[in-house]
Amino acid sequence: MRITSRKLVRPVRDSWAATATPSKLEIDGKVYQTDSWTNVPQSILSLIPRRLHLQPSHPVSLTRKLIESRFPPPTFTYYNNISPVVSVAQNFDSLGFPADHPGRNRSDTYYINRDTVLRTHTSAHEAEIFRQNRSEGYTISADVYRRDAIDRSHYPIFHQMEGARMWDRREVPGGDVAKAVWDDLSRMPTHNLEVDDPNPTVHPERNPLQAEHHSIKEVEAIAAHLKRSLEGVVVELFPKAKQAAAAAAANTIDSSPDEPLKVRWVEAYFPFTSPSWELEVFWQGDWLEILGCGVTKQDVLINANVPNQIGWAFGMGLERVAMLLFSIPDIRLFWSKDDRFLSQFSDVGNINRFKTFSKHPGCHKDVSFWLRSSSNSAGGGLQSNAQDFHENDVMEVVREIGGDLVEDVRLFDEFQHPASGRKSLCYRINYRSLERTLTNAEANEMHERVKKDLVQKLGVEMR
């Protein structure tokens, strides 16, 4: 793993046109050659140094610290400053992603070149950390990058946190992993959460045991340890959020501080764990999923050269949790440098609910276009006169021009010509600033640039 300092990210320009891909990119002080796979725009590269999860008093950083407090050293080592540039092998191959997995597509992932990407998940570092074997457990928090929709809950850069706890068959007394795990569990703090966990630990179809590697006794113990550990995260986070809600006089019947805190475990599927679960919290009248977890796939550990280890892992999105805790309504706010936002939060004291400092009107604009008859769904091109098409390509064009002045983009209408078979799409773009009122002229200027770039980069025909 390469720990890097925060340095500026800039393209290294040779002789290329303003709209062309530079021949090289410098990220965190290291230069990377580009090629036909390169699709990461400068707007994304410019945000890499921000690393919100490390910014003092930032809600994402505060959320990270609260979660970390439940996984103390020396049992757990924290990895919080890992470069986002990883190899395709780290991001996909080491985790067993099949060659045709959609996550590998350029429509979903930012490629620096054919062999190098901006990580799409913190699990890209999992195998290396297992291989280093510095401690029995670890947590990773990091910025991750995905080409995605534009709306109030999605952003092309967000922050994940994952953790794992392992036991080594060669090191536990008598090689009895199950007993060692139960002994560890007996030393953990208890809680008074209402827990709904109706399903058996394993189910042959829904939530299978890795029978070739694990015994049912081992998995029963590991699952109990995992669930107690993550229920402790809920105990750490949500009572503070309830206190903040009460202080802001924002309670409802469903979020009353007198209502017992309730969680439930739901069977799930994840490619890196089995059996697997999602943890949901009853919050403000609804069940909300906050994380996924499970017993680590033994193949991951075998491939990391630690075949004698066995344990659990979890992963969660920090923005998703922070939006719940701090009542932040729009994910774009996390990237704001406006002091009216940043000054509301502090490293000292309890969670503070976000207080809206402005609500400016939006400006809707529609854009309709025909796809070329030869278009396909591979996507990810973003090259002049590209023949392929994917909705994320539209999002990328809009984002590159409008940035955080675009609140959401959604497919408004679609039509297929009965004679020619050509397909037409209409997207509605809502331009809205978080900090000031946009004029119609400003929105029109951005919208005209969007239409021009859709034609130039995606090869569509305006209606």
Side-chain angles (χ1 to χ4, degrees), residues 37-202:
W37 279 71
T38 306
N39 67 349
V40 56
Q42 182 61 26
S43 60
I44 296 298
L45 294 174
S46 67
L47 294 176
I48 289 177
R50 294 285 301 276
R51 290 177 167 89
L52 302 184
H53 65 293
L54 300 178
Q55 298 301 313
S57 301
H58 193 282
V60 172
S61 180
L62 297 177
T63 303
R64 170 187 62 82
K65 290 180 180 179
L66 286 170
I67 297 168
E68 279 180 345
S69 71
R70 304 300 299 199
F71 304 102
T75 301
F76 290 87
T77 300
Y78 303 149
Y79 297 88
N80 293 331
N81 197 13
I82 310 175
S83 170
V85 180
V86 298
S87 67
V88 169
Q90 286 176 292
N91 201 74
F92 299 118
D93 301 340
S94 71
L95 297 165
F97 278 73
D100 61 350
H101 192 281
R104 293 179 181 263
N105 290 345
R106 293 168 69 237
S107 59
D108 288 23
T109 295
Y110 289 113
Y111 277 82
I112 296 170
N113 54 48
R114 179 183 294 273
D115 300 316
T116 313
V117 299
L118 294 178
R119 64 177 163 235
T120 64
H121 45 210
T122 51
S123 298
H125 308 287
E126 189 175 273
E128 188 169 356
I129 291 175
F130 281 138
R131 191 175 298 114
Q132 290 179 352
N133 201 20
R134 289 174 54 186
S135 56
E136 295 172 329
Y138 70 81
T139 65
I140 305 171
S141 65
D143 40 333
V144 299
Y145 300 76
R146 295 181 192 173
R147 301 174 89 236
D148 209 342
I150 298 176
D151 58 40
R152 292 159 69 91
S153 61
H154 291 87
Y155 204 83
I157 309 173
F158 59 104
H159 297 77
Q160 284 186 341
M161 188 170 187
E162 73 169 71
R165 173 70 163 90
M166 294 291 128
W167 291 264
D168 194 312
R169 298 182 190 278
R170 301 167 302 179
E171 297 180 4
V172 298
D176 191 340
V177 170
K179 184 179 186 305
V181 175
W182 285 118
D183 287 347
D184 285 342
L185 179 61
S186 70
R187 294 187 287 270
M188 293 173 63
T190 58
H191 57 70
N192 60 355
L193 287 176
E194 284 191 16
V195 180
D196 181 17
D197 189 9
N199 296 306
T201 301
V202 299

